[in-house]
Structures are given as C-alpha cells and as structure tokens.
C-alpha cells in the first residue's frame, strides 16, 4: 500500500503571471509505502527533532522549509553552524536512504494562458491530473495500490480539489483511462491532512518540493540559483529518487513541465 504525499511551490492564481514569483506553480508528490513512512521516515524525523532540536513532545515540532530557512523559534538553534551541519547531514542521509519516488509537475502559467484550449483550466487541478496519471503508472509498475494525501489549505480549495479529483477518476486522462486509475487508486477521497497533525510524509514533501521545483526549472534552462544544500538534494533526486521508466527515463515520469 503506497501513499502519495503532496505539496506545492508557487500560487494557483492566474494574476501577475509576468512576475517570476507568480508565473510558476509545481506540485510534488512523494510516493512511499505506508509501512515505510511509519517504520523508517517517522522514526528518523523523531530522532532529529529530539536529538538536534530537543523539542517538547507535547508541543510537536513540525519541519517546515520556510521556517527552517528563517531559523526562527525552535529552529533558531540552526544559527549555530555546528548544529546546522549536523541537521543537514541527518536530513541528507534520510533523503538518501529512505525508499520513495518523487513525481513533480510544473506549469508555466503565463505560457499556458496563451493557449486557447487551456483558458478554462485551473493550474492546481491541472497539475493534480498530471500527478494522478503519473502515480497510477508508477503503481502499475510496482504492482500496488495507493491513495493520495495533499496538505490541506483549510478553505474551499480543499473541497474544490476533491471535486476535481473525483472528475479525474471518472473521466481518466489522455494517457491513462478511468478504469486503470480506479484499479490503482481505489479510494474516491483525497486524504487531506494539515500541518498541526505532524504528518512525517507531508513534512518530507515540504522539504523536497522546493529543491525539485528548482531542479526542474534548471532543466528547463532557466537562470536560477541553486544553493549548496539544494544542489546536494538535486543530486539524490536525479541519481535515484525521481520516478523513472523501466529503462531509466525520468522526463515524463518523475519530472514533467508544461507547456
């Protein structure tokens, strides 16, 4: 039994798309066996939280990339370069040894808005369709079934995404029909969860989504800055963690950009 933990980078609006910060949106899914998340990922995160951050177990520490980068609150200890190095080493080791596949789909909203046939599409829902398609194909290759757990946004967007997901299951996609999707993703419902619920898989998706977003933009030939830590994550993604075909092809499997 697999689970796809999903997080986004960017916004799903279609305004100010000439600005780089608003132009691109990506969804990253981390496909992992539920038992592996429970038995491997969560214990590794708990060890880091206890040994590096000495957190209060009754006030769970939630890994959030933006807060880690800002080094505020519980993450202020990362201002100590020795502690920061210890955390980076432990996190990179977790990224390397855990068993999972990354699927990231990225959309250039400005370019897509210029396509007449895309006028009525919703960027987030469009990318979710791509993720569902690629995830179903991944599950077919693994001979497994799975469900999908997005990080909820606590507003009508969750119910709208659920409606879009139901339509994807009923109608299928251009490459994967409804019957194949339903066979591999049996549940009608997305398993929305939220940051305070301390879901290790969603925190993992949060930590990997931005490096994957930047990696894809680099592959697209964009002039982006890849920091040292992001470059190390990129190496693991490209070498082994992006989903790939049986012949090792990543583009179109673990990595997809539109148009």
């Amino acid at each position: 039994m697999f689970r796809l933990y999903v997080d986004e980078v960017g916004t799903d609006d279609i305004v100010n798309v000439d600005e780089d910060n608003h132009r691109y949106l990506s969804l990253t899914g981390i496909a992992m066996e539920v038992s592996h998340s429970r038995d491997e990922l969560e214990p590794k995160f708990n060890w880091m939280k206890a040994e590096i951050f000495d957190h209060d177990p009754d006030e769970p520490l939630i890994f959030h990339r933006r807060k880690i980068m800002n080094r505020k609150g519980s993450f202020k200890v990362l201002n100590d370069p020795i502690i920061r190095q210890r955390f980076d080493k432990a996190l990179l080791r977790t990224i390397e040894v855990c068993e999972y596949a990354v699927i990231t789909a990225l959309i250039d909203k400005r370019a897509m808005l210029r396509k007449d046939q895309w006028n009525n599409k919703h960027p987030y829902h469009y990318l979710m369709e791509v993720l569902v398609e690629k995830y179903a194909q991944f599950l077919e290759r693994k001979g497994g079934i799975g469900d999908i757990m997005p990080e909820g946004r606590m507003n009508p967007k969750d119910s709208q995404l659920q409606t879009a997901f139901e339509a994807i299951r009923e109608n299928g996609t251009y490459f994967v029909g409804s019957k194949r999707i339903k066979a591999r993703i049996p549940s009608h419902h997305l398993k929305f969860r939220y940051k305070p619920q301390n879901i290790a898989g969603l925190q993992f998706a949060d930590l990997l989504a931005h490096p994957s977003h930047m990696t894809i933009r680099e592959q697209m030939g964009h002039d982006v800055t890849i920091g040292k830590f992001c470059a190390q994550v990129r190496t693991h993604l490209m070498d082994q963690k992006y989903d790939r075909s049986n012949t090792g092809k990543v583009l179109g499997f673990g990595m997809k950009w539109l148009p």
Side-chain angles (χ1 to χ4, degrees):
M1 177 67 187
F2 286 85
R3 181 156 294 149
L4 189 73
Y5 300 97
V6 180
D7 201 7
E8 79 274 3
V9 174
T11 64
D12 61 5
D13 58 52
I14 51 175
V15 297
N16 301 319
V17 293
D18 288 328
E19 300 176 16
D20 198 69
N21 288 340
H22 295 275
R23 181 174 172 179
Y24 303 99
L25 171 69
S26 68
L27 285 188
T28 290
I30 307 299
M32 180 181 289
E33 289 191 55
V34 174
S35 60
H36 192 79
S37 180
R38 179 193 64 216
D39 300 336
E40 297 294 334
L41 178 63
E42 186 171 15
K44 285 177 171 59
F45 272 14
N46 287 341
W47 182 90
M48 283 187 272
K49 291 173 182 181
E51 297 297 324
I52 298 175
F53 298 97
D54 192 26
H55 80 110
D56 183 341
D58 297 323
E59 296 181 9
L61 179 68
I62 310 297
F63 284 153
H64 188 313
R65 179 185 173 276
R66 188 174 299 170
K67 291 183 177 180
I68 291 171
M69 295 295 292
N70 290 335
R71 302 181 192 180
K72 301 291 185 181
S74 299
F75 299 109
K76 66 183 179 182
V77 298
L78 296 176
N79 288 307
D80 182 327
I82 295 176
I83 295 177
R84 175 73 183 195
Q85 184 178 36
R86 189 181 179 206
F87 174 62
D88 286 354
K89 182 178 179 181
L91 180 54
L92 283 169
R93 181 62 177 164
T94 299
I95 291 170
E96 178 185 9
V97 303
C98 279
E99 297 175 5
Y100 59 95
V102 176
I103 305 169
T104 296
L106 181 146
I107 192 168
D108 179 345
K109 292 181 286 183
R110 188 179 75 177
M112 291 300 288
L113 283 170
R114 294 173 177 170
K115 293 181 173 291
D116 292 338
Q117 70 271 24
W118 194 75
N119 283 344
N120 294 321
K121 289 282 188 177
H122 185 292
Y124 199 110
H125 299 170
Y126 191 54
L127 292 178
M128 179 57 75
E129 181 178 322
V130 175
L131 280 195
V132 169
E133 176 184 284
K134 301 305 174 188
Y135 183 42
Q137 292 172 324
F138 163 84
L139 291 168
E140 285 179 334
R141 294 195 305 277
K142 294 294 184 180
I145 62 172
D147 56 24
I148 301 176
M149 181 178 287
E151 182 165 278
R153 291 176 282 178
M154 294 185 178
N155 57 38
K157 291 181 178 181
D158 288 352
S159 60
Q160 292 165 5
L161 182 59
Q162 173 62 38
T163 299
F165 172 66
E166 292 172 7
I168 296 166
R169 289 185 79 255
E170 287 302 317
N171 300 324
T173 72
Y174 184 81
F175 293 103
V176 180
S178 173
K179 185 175 180 180
R180 289 171 62 191
I181 291 174
K182 289 179 178 179
R184 296 301 171 180
I185 309 173
S187 176
H188 294 261
H189 301 288
L190 297 170
K191 296 178 70 70
F192 290 103
R193 296 295 185 273
Y194 303 91
K195 275 191 170 63
Q197 291 176 283
N198 193 23
I199 306 297
L202 286 179
Q203 292 168 68
F204 202 41
D206 175 88
L207 295 172
L208 291 176
H210 188 268
S212 187
H213 179 100
M214 299 303 288
T215 296
I216 289 183
R217 290 195 56 193
E218 182 183 55
Q219 292 289 311
M220 295 170 71
H222 295 180
D223 183 16
V224 294
T225 300
I226 304 290
K228 180 181 177 182
F229 186 80
C230 183
Q232 292 173 296
V233 175
R234 175 189 59 191
T235 297
H236 290 306
L237 296 178
M238 294 298 293
D239 286 352
Q240 58 178 318
K241 299 305 185 183
Y242 276 125
D243 186 33
R244 56 201 69 210
S245 70
N246 292 329
T247 59
K249 183 181 178 183
V250 171
L251 188 59
F253 291 82
M255 182 186 294
K256 174 95 174 168
W257 63 77
L258 304 140

